[in-house]
Amino acid sequence: MKYCVIFGAQSYEHEISIVSAITLKDVLHRDLSFIFCDQHRDFYLIDPSKMKSKLFSSGDYKKESKLFLKEGGFYQKSFMKEKKVEFDILINLVHGGDGEDGKFASLFTFFGIPFIGPSLEASVLSFNKLYTKWYAKERGIKTLSYELLQKGSYDISIPFPVIIKPLRLGSSIGVSIISEQSELEYALDVAYEFDDEVLVEPFIDGVKEYNLAGCKGDDYIFSIVEEPHKEKFLDFDKKYLDFSRTKQVLQADIDESVVEKLKENFIKIYENSFEGALIRCDFFIIDNEIYLNEINPIPGSYANYLFEDFSSVIDELSKHLKTEKTISIGYDYIHNIQKAKGK
Amino acid sequence: MKYCVIFGAQSYEHEISIVSAITLKDVLHRDLSFIFCDQHRDFYLIDPSKMKSKLFSSGDYKKESKLFLKEGGFYQKSFMKEKKVEFDILINLVHGGDGEDGKFASLFTFFGIPFIGPSLEASVLSFNKLYTKWYAKERGIKTLSYELLQKGSYDISIPFPVIIKPLRLGSSIGVSIISEQSELEYALDVAYEFDDEVLVEPFIDGVKEYNLAGCKGDDYIFSIVEEPHKEKFLDFDKKYLDFSRTKQVLQADIDESVVEKLKENFIKIYENSFEGALIRCDFFIIDNEIYLNEINPIPGSYANYLFEDFSSVIDELSKHLKTEKTISIGYDYIHNIQKAKGK
């Protein structure tokens, strides 16, 4: 199986996608190729041996082979010919905009390219934190209470401390925790820089947080449960380092019964929606009840550090990708109308 | 202002999109060009004078100029050159899959093509009837009670009569109204042909139904309120004819206060979500309360027959399209890491 990793793109998380891709190169022990989508959305084929962060930050990637996207895949132009980039499955590794908002899923589905990553609908569900709440509720999983603010609004009624998040970003970008009114306006302005809509939730200091990654192969495959280390919460700088992790971490020190409960909740979220993706669900446990904090449908370097045999997990997922049903169009209605008109 | 209408695509509503486009040619009195997306998702530039249904049903469209999509628009290849199809704004007229499910919005946004039609997120909200209910609730608008069934399930608890709908289609495709248990399995199987998930709602015979179309220009622009004629409900054949309507219909015979209430509810739905689109909201009135039935984000031939001066409405909408903020990527984090590593 030959995989191609696509990363970068027009996203606030462009740089962590680069780090994530470099990391994946080290941990996914398979035949790999790499496609970089730059901030202008031009595609380049990157020689695996050149996968260093400097290639991208220096702009030197522009010397690599430019690609274009069309039916069936990515192509290089050479003289009068077009040469297809050969791979079996594309791995969507674009965090944030383009990759997690549904655009890449749309492009790859439209152009018939098999890919690992959330579907169009699953992307939108997990990218918009409000939709995630609606979805969790439908599936019988609690989430924190919230208020949704539109750009220009500064009134909240949730008591301090609160956590303020741009509605549609990941990786803690634009997120603030504030404990008093005097900090509110600035924190909201920061969040409004990234989104016209902002979500406010109560901030629960010391809340128990557990991350569980997984996917559906023949059966569900789960990672270990991780209790993320945090100082109040992970800011972007710290999370950034998170995307380059390659060593397996230890299972959180929790009862097996809790692990089982987390897995049950993971399945409730994944089933009939996230097939084809390897996702990480971030849960809270409050008063012995499980809450969904967020769904990360393209976790940093695919959360490789939570799995014992990461490469095999990707192989098994590859055999169970989501495919779109092709509709055959027979023009029956138009023929009938033409007949009725005597044409 | 030069418009280009894109229609067809890999959709159960492919044929009605063709009818819709032919109709639009007659009612949108502006400089127009046409791009046909065939069922294989190949694009063709269609000479306006050739816009007849037979061109498509016969396959003759394949003799027209083939196009490809890339940054900035659609291009023709001629000898060694590429020639861009010139237009100011693309009008998304693909009903159902590809057009209304978010794929086209993704493609046009990704490749920087200004378009009239629902955004990616708005598409997903209106395409999935369950998400529409969640959304309406958040905006304070009632919808009918429901049950969601997964393929293979045949048990419902809503009392008969019920209406059965594939979760993600429009135009009454796969929809049945059934009044007794003996009809249930067949009706569900029909719906499962089109979607793995099916929505069941109570069917209210004789319910008052009102359609209101509109968009946001400098201010909200509304159509007249239409009371659709129906025999029980419009099936696909009858709705099909609906897509070719060109004559303005009459305002429903209702109080001005009801019209105002419908407009208020329309704004609740449109605001901060459907900007850039001309949508039609289909409402029920039950016991003097307004219910949202569905949001049609690309109504047949853009519901031209509900507006007095349709072409001007499109012109005004064009001045208020939704645009994506461009992120400038400076590689600060990667530079910092490189510095820290002394590289």
Side-chain angles (χ1 to χ4, degrees):
Chain A
M1 192 76 80
K2 187 170 164 65
Y3 297 103
C4 178
V5 178
I6 187 163
F7 62 102
Q10 173 59 217
S11 164
Y12 286 112
E13 296 167 67
H14 176 98
E15 292 184 76
I16 57 179
S17 176
I18 293 172
V19 174
S20 207
I22 293 170
T23 305
L24 209 66
K25 181 177 166 271
D26 289 335
V27 296
L28 185 53
H29 307 295
R30 296 292 181 266
D31 189 2
L32 293 180
S33 55
F34 291 87
I35 293 176
F36 178 56
C37 176
D38 79 357
Q39 60 180 301
H40 310 295
R41 291 169 172 156
D42 289 326
F43 300 107
Y44 294 87
L45 184 63
I46 307 296
D47 187 318
S49 70
K50 293 186 180 166
M51 283 291 293
K52 312 253 184 247
S53 62
K54 206 169 178 181
L55 183 77
F56 309 102
S57 60
S58 65
D60 280 351
Y61 69 85
K62 286 183 184 163
K63 296 174 195 157
E64 303 299 306
S65 209
K66 204 168 169 175
L67 302 174
F68 62 97
L69 176 62
K70 66 169 198 175
E71 185 56 34
F74 291 87
Y75 295 79
Q76 279 176 279
K77 255 179 210 155
S78 59
F79 302 100
M80 296 291 288
K81 276 184 271 180
E82 289 177 358
K83 200 183 144 203
K84 190 171 163 179
V85 179
E86 291 299 337
F87 58 80
D88 301 300
I89 288 164
L90 190 63
I91 298 180
N92 179 0
L93 194 59
V94 171
H95 309 296
D98 284 356
E100 288 182 313
D101 63 3
K103 285 198 216 81
F104 269 19
S106 295
L107 258 66
F108 306 151
T109 306
F110 190 84
F111 290 117
I113 305 169
F115 68 99
I116 289 178
S119 71
L120 163 55
E121 216 180 63
S123 300
V124 170
L125 270 186
S126 46
F127 195 61
N128 184 311
K129 297 177 174 74
L130 179 60
Y131 300 176
T132 304
K133 286 179 184 288
W134 297 341
Y135 177 70
K137 192 177 175 192
E138 179 81 21
R139 300 268 168 142
I141 304 170
K142 287 189 187 329
T143 63
L144 295 184
S145 61
Y146 66 94
E147 271 175 82
L148 181 70
L149 299 188
Q150 302 290 336
K151 197 165 192 160
S153 302
Y154 295 91
D155 287 331
I156 66 167
S157 57
I158 295 178
F160 295 104
V162 295
I163 183 161
I164 286 173
K165 304 171 174 174
L167 189 62
R168 292 176 189 81
L169 281 177
S171 301
S172 310
I173 299 174
V175 173
S176 308
I177 293 163
I178 61 168
S179 36
E180 51 181 272
Q181 182 68 31
S182 64
E183 306 165 325
L184 183 65
E185 190 175 327
Y186 178 77
L188 284 171
D189 281 338
V190 168
Y192 286 136
E193 279 293 301
F194 297 98
D195 201 320
D196 288 346
E197 295 178 285
V198 164
L199 196 74
V200 182
E201 293 175 320
F203 175 72
I204 305 163
D205 202 8
V207 67
K208 285 282 175 193
E209 190 175 344
Y210 299 103
N211 298 346
L212 175 63
C215 61
K216 200 173 174 181
D218 291 330
D219 281 309
Y220 275 96
I221 308 171
F222 291 108
S223 75
I224 58 150
V225 173
E226 185 198 15
E227 189 171 357
H229 299 277
K230 42 182 187 176
E231 302 143 46
K232 222 166 183 188
F233 82 118
L234 290 171
D235 66 13
F236 185 66
D237 282 6
K238 289 179 205 110
K239 271 217 176 169
Y240 184 77
L241 294 171
D242 229 41
F243 283 78
S244 59
R245 286 162 72 186
T246 54
K247 292 217 184 81
Q248 213 201 328
V249 298
L250 292 177
Q251 165 95 11
D253 184 21
I254 48 173
D255 272 9
E256 192 50 39
S257 64
V258 177
V259 174
E260 284 311 309
K261 258 198 198 171
L262 292 170
K263 287 180 180 173
E264 276 166 32
N265 280 276
F266 182 102
I267 292 172
K268 281 187 196 169
I269 290 160
Y270 194 98
E271 190 76 10
N272 295 320
S273 286
F274 285 91
E275 282 76 4
L278 188 161
I279 71 174
R280 199 189 70 211
C281 290
D282 298 352
F283 294 106
F284 291 144
I285 296 189
I286 303 166
D287 295 337
N288 285 317
E289 288 215 85
I290 291 177
Y291 286 69
L292 177 68
N293 180 26
E294 62 177 61
I295 303 168
N296 201 328
I298 305 180
S301 63
Y302 268 99
N304 68 85
Y305 51 86
L306 297 179
F307 293 96
E308 203 169 316
D309 182 1
F310 176 66
S311 304
S312 302
V313 174
I314 295 292
D315 285 342
E316 189 168 337
L317 174 57
S318 302
K319 290 179 220 144
H320 296 85
L321 299 186
K322 213 166 178 168
T323 51
E324 212 194 27
K325 193 171 157 184
T326 300
I327 300 162
S328 166
I329 291 154
Y331 293 107
D332 295 340
Y333 282 100
I334 287 181
H335 289 308
N336 283 344
I337 291 178
Q338 284 160 355
K339 237 185 261 170
K341 285 184 179 168
K343 283 182 190 168
Chain B
M1 191 74 80
K2 187 169 165 67
Y3 297 103
C4 178
V5 178
I6 187 162
F7 62 103
Q10 173 59 218
S11 165
Y12 286 112
E13 296 167 65
H14 176 99
E15 293 184 75
I16 57 180
S17 176
I18 293 172
V19 174
S20 207
I22 293 170
T23 305
L24 209 65
K25 181 177 166 270
D26 289 334
V27 296
L28 185 53
H29 307 295
R30 295 292 180 266
D31 190 0
L32 293 180
S33 55
F34 291 87
I35 293 175
F36 177 56
C37 177
D38 78 357
Q39 60 181 301
H40 311 293
R41 292 170 171 154
D42 288 326
F43 300 107
Y44 295 88
L45 183 62
I46 307 296
D47 187 318
S49 70
K50 293 185 180 167
M51 283 290 293
K52 313 254 185 246
S53 62
K54 208 171 176 179
L55 182 77
F56 308 102
S57 59
S58 65
D60 280 351
Y61 69 86
K62 287 183 184 164
K63 297 174 194 156
E64 303 298 305
S65 208
K66 204 167 169 176
L67 302 174
F68 61 98
L69 176 61
K70 65 168 198 175
E71 185 58 33
F74 291 88
Y75 294 78
Q76 279 176 277
K77 255 180 210 154
S78 60
F79 302 102
M80 296 291 288
K81 274 184 274 180
E82 289 178 359
K83 199 183 146 204
K84 191 171 161 178
V85 179
E86 291 299 337
F87 57 80
D88 300 300
I89 288 164
L90 190 62
I91 298 180
N92 179 1
L93 195 59
V94 170
H95 309 297
D98 284 355
E100 287 181 313
D101 64 3
K103 284 197 216 81
F104 268 19
S106 294
L107 259 65
F108 306 151
T109 306
F110 190 85
F111 290 117
I113 304 169
F115 69 99
I116 289 179
S119 71
L120 163 55
E121 216 180 64
S123 300
V124 171
L125 270 186
S126 46
F127 196 60
N128 184 311
K129 296 177 174 74
L130 179 61
Y131 300 176
T132 304
K133 286 180 184 287
W134 297 342
Y135 177 70
K137 191 177 175 192
E138 179 82 21
R139 300 267 168 142
I141 304 170
K142 286 189 187 333
T143 64
L144 294 184
S145 60
Y146 67 94
E147 270 175 83
L148 181 69
L149 298 188
Q150 301 290 335
K151 197 163 192 162
S153 303
Y154 295 92
D155 288 330
I156 66 168
S157 56
I158 296 177
F160 295 104
V162 295
I163 183 162
I164 286 173
K165 304 171 175 174
L167 189 62
R168 292 175 188 82
L169 281 177
S171 303
S172 311
I173 299 175
V175 173
S176 307
I177 293 162
I178 60 166
S179 36
E180 50 181 275
Q181 182 67 31
S182 65
E183 306 165 324
L184 183 65
E185 190 175 328
Y186 178 77
L188 284 171
D189 281 337
V190 168
Y192 286 136
E193 279 293 301
F194 298 99
D195 201 321
D196 289 345
E197 296 178 285
V198 164
L199 196 75
V200 183
E201 293 174 320
F203 176 72
I204 305 163
D205 201 10
V207 66
K208 286 282 176 194
E209 189 174 345
Y210 299 103
N211 298 346
L212 175 63
C215 61
K216 199 173 175 182
D218 291 329
D219 281 309
Y220 275 97
I221 308 171
F222 291 108
S223 75
I224 59 150
V225 173
E226 186 198 17
E227 189 172 355
H229 300 278
K230 42 181 187 177
E231 303 145 45
K232 224 168 182 187
F233 80 120
L234 291 171
D235 67 13
F236 186 67
D237 281 6
K238 288 176 204 114
K239 271 215 176 170
Y240 185 79
L241 294 171
D242 228 43
F243 283 78
S244 58
R245 286 161 73 186
T246 54
K247 292 219 183 80
Q248 212 200 328
V249 299
L250 293 176
Q251 166 95 10
D253 184 20
I254 47 173
D255 273 9
E256 190 51 39
S257 64
V258 177
V259 173
E260 282 312 309
K261 260 199 197 168
L262 292 170
K263 287 180 180 173
E264 276 166 31
N265 280 277
F266 182 101
I267 292 172
K268 280 187 196 168
I269 290 161
Y270 193 98
E271 190 78 9
N272 295 321
S273 285
F274 286 90
E275 281 77 4
L278 188 161
I279 71 174
R280 198 190 70 211
C281 290
D282 298 352
F283 295 107
F284 291 144
I285 295 189
I286 302 166
D287 295 336
N288 285 318
E289 288 214 88
I290 291 177
Y291 285 69
L292 177 68
N293 180 26
E294 61 178 61
I295 304 168
N296 200 329
I298 306 181
S301 64
Y302 269 97
N304 68 86
Y305 51 86
L306 298 178
F307 293 94
E308 203 168 317
D309 182 1
F310 175 66
S311 303
S312 302
V313 174
I314 294 293
D315 286 342
E316 188 167 338
L317 173 57
S318 301
K319 289 179 221 142
H320 296 85
L321 300 186
K322 211 165 178 169
T323 51
E324 211 195 24
K325 193 171 157 186
T326 300
I327 300 163
S328 167
I329 290 155
Y331 293 105
D332 295 340
Y333 281 100
I334 286 182
H335 288 309
N336 283 343
I337 290 178
Q338 284 161 354
K339 238 185 261 169
K341 286 184 181 169
K343 284 182 190 169

